[in-house]
């Protein structure tokens, strides 16, 4: 799996979709049909993703940052303005970029902003099922997690030891991003899942430190799962947000 680009000649806006750690562009599959035909679109696959489990050990936060900055710099040279759609860690990368002097992001549309990580038994159990369980016995949550992951699963437990530095990278990025929330000036729309198994509820206090943020709380949603009602709310808000830029 690699980054996909649909560049529309004479477009003014490019929508950049960036997934989270060990995630995939599939997380945004419900939103792709709502991207206007005159907008360019990029479905990012972060470095180390879309490959085998062992490959993920050889990426880094620096590579992710450089990849996103290079992509946005290329769009700046093409005179594109950016609507940045992020999920989980992807949100943090976009928030960082929005404060850079050469920023081209006009809007952040963020899903499950992980400013406070949570690692509980539920998430650990799901990960163990994905790595070592029998697919015939997967429950709905496990299947959903597999569907949203673009790293080939390994049944060798030692492979995952190499993932530890990557998650330490994530925790470092979380700590740094919490500090910049009050200073973000671009339009920002955030969705928080009430039953998020990976993000603490306390994150809402962090997001509210910026009074300009538009915050949506979905009580029944999880980190990767939305029921029909919640999915519709995200889609409708996404469309309303794009309408603000469609005539510019």
């Amino acid at each position: 799996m690699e980054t996909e680009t649909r560049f529309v000649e004479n477009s003014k806006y490019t929508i950049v979709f960036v997934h989270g750690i060990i995630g995939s562009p599939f997380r945004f599959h419900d939103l792709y049909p709502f991207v206007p035909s005159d907008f360019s679109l990029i479905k990012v696959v972060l470095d180390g993703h879309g490959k085998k489990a062992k490959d993920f050990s050889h990426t880094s936060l620096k590579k992710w940052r450089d990849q996103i900055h290079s992509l946005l710099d290329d769009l700046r040279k093409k005179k594109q303005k950016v609507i940045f759609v992020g999920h989980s860690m992807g949100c943090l990368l976009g928030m960082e970029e929005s404060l850079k002097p050469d920023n081209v992001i006009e809007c952040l549309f963020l899903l499950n902003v992980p400013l406070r990580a949570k690692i509980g038994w539920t998430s650990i159990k799901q990960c163990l099922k994905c790595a070592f369980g029998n697919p015939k016995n997967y429950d709905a949550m496990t299947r959903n997690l597999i569907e949203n992951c673009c790293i080939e699963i390994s049944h060798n437990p030692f492979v995952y030891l190499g993932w530890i530095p990557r998650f330490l990278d994530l925790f470092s990025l979380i700590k740094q991003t919490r500090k910049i929330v009050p200073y973000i000036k671009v339009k920002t729309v955030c969705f928080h899942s009430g039953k998020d198994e990976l993000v603490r509820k306390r994150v809402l206090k962090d997001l509210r430190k910026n009074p300009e943020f538009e915050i949506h709380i979905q009580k029944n949603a999880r980190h990767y799962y939305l029921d029909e009602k919640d999915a519709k709310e995200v889609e409708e808000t996404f469309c309303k947000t794009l309408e603000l830029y469609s005539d510019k």
Side-chain angles (χ1 to χ4, degrees), residues 148-202:
N148 282 277
C149 176
C150 65
I151 297 176
E152 185 179 322
I153 298 299
S154 171
H155 294 298
N156 178 359
F158 296 104
V159 168
Y160 298 103
L161 293 176
W163 288 25
I164 294 174
R166 304 293 71 79
F167 283 92
L168 293 177
D169 282 344
L170 172 60
F171 296 145
S172 173
L173 179 59
I174 287 172
K175 185 177 180 180
Q176 294 170 44
T177 310
R178 277 205 302 265
K179 298 176 182 179
I180 68 172
V181 168
Y183 306 104
I184 295 174
K185 301 300 182 184
V186 303
K187 179 176 176 57
T188 303
V189 180
C190 305
F191 279 84
H192 175 73
S193 297
K195 294 183 179 180
D196 198 317
E197 60 274 28
L198 297 174
V199 179
R200 296 183 182 277
K201 185 177 180 180
R202 189 181 168 193

Side-chain angles (χ1 to χ4, degrees), residues 220-242:
N220 296 317
R222 296 182 179 274
H223 199 71
Y224 291 107
Y225 173 77
L226 303 177
D227 62 22
E228 186 175 346
K229 179 182 177 182
D230 289 337
K232 186 174 182 180
E233 181 186 7
V234 173
E235 292 165 7
E236 290 178 348
T237 306
F238 182 64
C239 290
K240 288 179 181 178
T241 301
L242 295 186

Side-chain angles (χ1 to χ4, degrees), residues 6 10 14 16 18 51 53 70 75 85 89 115 165 171 177 182-183 191 193 217 235:
R6 184 194 78 189
N10 298 321
T14 297
V16 177
V18 182
K51 301 177 182 179
S70 176
L75 292 174
V85 183
M89 186 181 73
L115 295 175
F171 296 145
T177 310
Y183 306 104
F191 279 84
S193 297
I217 302 172
E235 292 165 7

Side-chain angles (χ1 to χ4, degrees), residues 84-148:
F84 190 102
V85 183
H87 174 249
S88 198
M89 186 181 73
C91 301
L92 308 181
L93 296 170
M95 294 166 84
E96 275 194 333
E97 284 291 333
S98 74
L99 287 175
K100 292 188 176 179
D102 56 353
N103 171 54
V104 293
I105 297 173
E106 290 211 355
C107 176
L108 292 165
F109 193 91
L110 309 177
L111 308 174
N112 307 92
V113 187
L115 295 175
R116 301 278 176 179
K118 177 173 65 176
I119 303 176
W121 172 240
T122 298
S123 54
I124 293 174
K125 183 171 64 174
Q126 295 304 322
C127 290
L128 290 173
K129 284 183 180 179
C130 291
F132 308 114
N134 186 333
K136 294 181 180 179
N137 299 324
Y138 286 170
D139 56 21
M141 285 184 62
T142 306
R143 287 194 297 271
N144 190 256
L145 181 58
I146 288 286
E147 198 171 38
N148 282 277

